[in-house]
Amino acid sequence: AVVAVALVTGFGWAFVGAGAETAIITAVTVLVIACPCALGLATPTAIMAGTGAAARAGVLIKDAVALECAGSVTAVVFDKTGTLTMGTPTVVEMIAGDTGEAELLRRAASAQQGSEHPLAQAVLRAASEKGLSLEPLVSFNRIGGRGLRAELGGETVVIGNRALMAESGFATDVFEARAEALENQGRTVMWVARDGAGIDGVIAVQDALRPGSAKAVSALADRGIVTIMLSGDNHRTVAAVAAGLALDRFEAEVLPEDKAAFVAELRTQGHVVAMVGDGVNDAPALAAADVGIAMG
């Protein structure tokens, strides 16, 4: 409309006999005064209205650059636990050796008193519900992406995945078949062992998918955006979750430090990448992406 009025102004002055210079100056004057003001006001007003509406829905946008970049995203990388899933796993099954399930749970909960990881919280909740008294925790050492090692009353308890068990010299043969069956159901298995005593058993936890996860993945696919899930969990569990969400791709047993490298590799392939995560472990990957989306 502004351009049309400017043209009418220029032709109008030319029609009434003004020179070409006057006609051009008046036309440009209308254009310069009207158009930049409209653009200058409309753009920030639209951004403020949009970010305000998003804030009311619980979405906080850092700045206009992040918002603009989000519109160009070609690949979205999701963490699993706490992002696509609810982040509140529960203990659903235990397989214990000679010590029995109650002692297995008590020992595992005692060792995880120093952890804020969702899986540790699931074990602690289960122990609390059963009224188990926990041993004092002497020391606690978190092993990124694999598990933990803790000192309890003169013995060392190791809890984690197969890689940590193998690294610590524990054979998983006795419980392997049943553990694999649990993983094929989409459950995460924690192995519990003690130095000098071997593996006491396994604890299986399950974390429900967020109600909107499948819809979100489907909406992204409809826009032609590639969807990928990264998880430190075992391959069978991650595959079961990925199948339920119809993701384009998934990577399992990914260490926290490797997530950032994966995101960087996607960017070198020409993708504009959004990384979605929920925990401190995801911070390097969030920073490496074009757009970081933190679940809170």
Side-chain angles (χ1 to χ4, degrees):
V2 170
V3 172
V5 171
L7 289 172
V8 170
T9 302
F11 284 119
W13 278 96
F15 180 76
V16 298
E21 183 178 351
T22 301
I24 292 172
I25 287 175
T26 52
V28 171
T29 299
V30 171
L31 190 64
V32 168
I33 290 175
C35 199
C37 288
L39 291 175
L41 290 171
T43 302
T45 300
I47 291 174
M48 287 177 66
T51 54
R56 287 191 292 274
V59 180
L60 305 181
I61 299 168
K62 182 180 178 182
D63 52 35
V65 174
L67 186 62
E68 183 176 359
C69 190
S72 305
V73 165
T74 61
V76 177
V77 179
F78 295 98
D79 177 44
K80 179 174 75 70
T81 305
T83 301
L84 292 171
T85 66
M86 295 296 291
T88 53
T90 56
V91 174
V92 292
E93 193 166 339
M94 288 182 283
I95 304 170
D98 297 336
T99 60
E101 290 186 2
E103 180 60 22
L104 174 68
L105 180 60
R106 188 189 69 82
R107 186 174 289 124
S110 298
Q112 298 189 87
Q113 290 176 91
S115 176
E116 295 182 356
H117 193 281
L119 298 183
Q121 293 301 306
V123 172
L124 288 166
R125 282 194 300 272
S128 176
E129 289 167 2
K130 292 182 180 296
L132 301 177
S133 59
L134 306 184
E135 291 184 47
L137 182 65
V138 178
S139 67
F140 174 87
N141 180 33
R142 178 179 173 277
I143 305 168
R146 288 172 292 173
L148 61 90
R149 185 182 295 271
E151 296 290 335
L152 294 173
E155 63 181 4
T156 301
V157 178
V158 182
I159 303 176
N161 58 19
R162 285 181 183 80
L164 182 59
M165 294 299 110
E167 180 184 299
S168 303
F170 298 116
T172 60
D173 302 2
V174 176
F175 302 99
E176 189 63 49
R178 295 174 71 185
E180 287 184 9
L182 290 169
E183 289 168 347
N184 286 329
Q185 297 171 33
R187 295 170 177 176
T188 299
V189 170
M190 289 181 282
W191 299 78
V192 183
R194 287 175 293 157
D195 283 351
I199 293 181
D200 289 326
V202 298
I203 299 175
V205 300
Q206 189 156 27
D207 191 6
L209 288 174
R210 288 185 184 272
S213 290
K215 184 177 179 181
V217 171
S218 176
L220 290 168
D222 290 343
R223 291 170 176 255
I225 296 172
V226 177
T227 54
I228 305 166
M229 177 171 64
L230 298 184
S231 176
D233 214 335
N234 69 84
H235 188 276
R236 279 179 289 272
T237 300
V238 177
V241 174
L245 292 172
L247 291 155
D248 292 316
R249 180 180 171 189
F250 70 88
E251 297 288 335
E253 300 177 24
V254 181
L255 295 175
E257 56 268 27
D258 294 335
K259 290 183 179 180
F262 182 89
V263 169
E265 176 61 26
L266 279 178
R267 293 183 69 189
T268 62
Q269 295 172 12
H271 282 292
V272 178
V273 182
M275 171 68 195
V276 191
D278 79 309
V280 175
N281 286 345
D282 297 321
L286 291 169
D290 295 285
V291 182
I293 302 173
M295 304 289 287

